[in-house]
Amino acid sequence: MLVLGIVGSPRREGRTAQLVDAALRGAASTGAETRKVYLIDYDIRPFVGQGGAEEGVRFVAPELSKLCTEAAALVVGAPVYFGEINGLTKDFMDSVRIPNENGKPALGIAIAGGSGKGLYSGVQSIYHWFYHRQMRAIDPTPATRFTLDDTLAALEPSGARLAEMARSPQPFQGTGREDRWAELVAYYAALPYLNCDMVDEFLTLAEQLVHTRRGHAAWERAYQELHTARLLAARGERADASRHAVYAYDLLVHD
């Protein structure tokens, strides 16, 4: 039983690869076979099909589609550029063909490694793909450099869970794709982070910085700004909450 890790970053030793490695270690701890591939090693071209998504197979290396089909579960990791996953990973998603995708266990990781902005929108992009491909995805993992060690530790049990799910796959019920959407929507509606927006992103980023930079000269002021932001958000005053969250973030993000 193979758990396949897919690294969407062109940096072989970067944070994306580290995060995928952590999930694969967890899978391997259950006795699963694991393999990691780098999209940069394959011929993946921008999708320029004129006839719709069914043409995508012409733009991805067939060995990638074969690997994804043979794998019992997938781990997909991608860096976030300007609030979205990088183009190489998106081109792969647009083009790969996985005929046995219904219910295939999957885990997605998006790393906003610089400013942290886009940590939720990036991972949402991966999970939108899982949803439309009708995979049984678990544990959306938005990552930043601020709490990287904690995320790496959390990914090992996620990888183990993924491997256990792969041993007893659960396809979504229905006679065909169009019969499965009610179950799919209900399943994905229960996953964390998929309904988060840019206000939630800054609240989380400010919280991460307050948690990890307690010795910073501006920590007390940032803590108060974050507290105010949380109170405003709880009252539904999200525009005002965002201003305080951004200010808390700005106070601590620069060393």
Side-chain angles (χ1 to χ4, degrees), residues 200-222:
D200 299 305
E201 285 186 350
F202 263 105
L203 286 167
T204 297
L205 289 170
E207 193 167 88
Q208 289 181 356
L209 288 167
V210 164
H211 176 70
T212 58
R213 300 195 171 178
R214 188 173 291 268
H216 195 286
W219 186 88
E220 289 283 353
R221 181 68 184 277

Side-chain angles (χ1 to χ4, degrees), residues 149-171:
D149 288 343
D150 290 342
T151 307
L152 288 167
L155 276 168
E156 293 200 23
S158 291
R161 181 183 171 211
L162 187 75
E164 293 296 345
M165 287 178 62
R167 290 186 170 89
S168 301
Q170 296 181 329

